Amino acid sequence: MTAEVGTKLRSDARDNRERILAVARTAFAADGLDVPIREIARRAELGVATVYRHFQTKEALLTEAFAERMASCSVIVQEGLAADDPWEGFSLVVSRLMEVHALDRGFARAFTSQLPHAVDLAAERDRTLRLLLELVRRAKETGPLRSDFVLEDISMALMANEGIRAESPALRVAASRRFAALMLLSFRTDPVRSPLPPAVRLPLSRG
């Protein structure tokens, strides 16, 4: 094999890997975690064997596809911890996490569940949750956050947030902001009467 051919093969492999990741992120964001590898391969216009050559398991693909999202959540919580007012920091974190999750159904499900064998993703998720626990502790100590609040309350809010259905990503984010504001009111010891973000018209499911 000549150097030129070897370089071309490595370049093709990198391109295929990036294409698989791009397609997987889009598919998981729109349709959740249940999208099969065969469908990822079809949308990427590659063979199933090519996908498995780069990612031996679906968990490995999920881990890499969501690594950047998970890291961004960690950054969001760190920004909340850096706020001078713990309640303001807590509010920022809840609102922004809900926005991130509203735009990516697959990541929302991954964040609130344990993915088998996705060690790297679980480690970053657990680190983010530890930082969030510290922020919760500070917000309780300064008074605004209810003393009976537990971290699972955020998990429930995120799970409910994942269920928002709207006609566009922009409307999902807008609905998520209003839902976050409502959740924050319920988390406070002394709910402050302030205007909510604008309401969003959402489609009603038909039984």
Side-chain angles (χ1 to χ4, degrees):
M1 182 187 297
T2 66
E4 182 178 352
V5 171
T7 300
K8 178 65 166 57
L9 289 174
R10 287 192 296 272
S11 176
D12 287 346
R14 284 194 300 270
D15 289 346
N16 286 343
R17 185 181 184 85
E18 290 305 313
R19 185 189 306 177
I20 293 165
L21 283 170
V23 167
R25 290 183 183 115
T26 300
F28 294 143
D31 303 320
L33 300 182
D34 294 331
V35 182
I37 289 290
R38 184 173 297 279
E39 178 61 16
I40 299 294
R42 186 189 70 79
R43 296 185 192 184
E45 299 180 345
L46 296 169
V48 173
T50 301
V51 176
Y52 278 116
R53 193 176 304 123
H54 291 280
F55 303 97
Q56 294 184 357
T57 64
K58 186 175 180 180
E59 286 78 15
L61 176 57
L62 287 166
T63 297
E64 188 152 348
F66 293 140
E68 188 175 333
R69 283 280 200 208
M70 192 65 77
S72 71
C73 286
S74 182
V75 170
I76 288 171
V77 179
Q78 290 176 55
E79 289 176 357
L81 281 168
D84 293 333
D85 182 330
W87 173 256
E88 291 300 321
F90 177 79
S91 299
L92 176 147
V93 168
V94 170
S95 298
R96 290 185 60 189
L97 284 180
M98 284 193 172
E99 284 188 29
V100 169
H101 288 202
L103 289 171
D104 193 330
R105 290 179 60 203
F107 178 69
R109 184 65 55 84
F111 190 88
T112 55
S113 65
Q114 292 288 350
L115 295 177
H117 312 304
V119 178
D120 294 340
L121 191 64
E124 185 64 30
R125 171 183 175 275
D126 290 346
R127 176 174 177 272
T128 300
L129 292 178
R130 285 195 299 272
L131 293 173
L132 188 52
L133 274 173
E134 173 61 17
L135 182 57
V136 166
R137 183 189 67 79
R138 294 182 189 181
K140 283 184 177 181
E141 284 185 353
T142 55
L145 184 60
R146 298 172 58 118
S147 61
D148 57 354
F149 175 88
V150 293
L151 199 58
E152 286 75 13
D153 294 329
I154 291 183
S155 294
M156 284 195 296
L158 291 174
M159 289 177 184
N161 186 65
E162 183 202 343
I164 292 174
R165 298 292 179 266
E167 294 179 355
S168 70
L171 287 177
R172 281 202 305 275
V173 168
S176 177
R177 286 173 181 159
R178 185 176 175 90
F179 182 52
L182 289 167
M183 287 294 93
L184 288 167
L185 283 173
S186 72
F187 294 159
R188 281 190 68 106
T189 55
D190 54 342
V192 177
R193 289 187 175 274
S194 58
L196 292 170
V200 177
R201 186 179 295 276
L202 300 175
L204 295 176
S205 61
R206 297 177 180 176

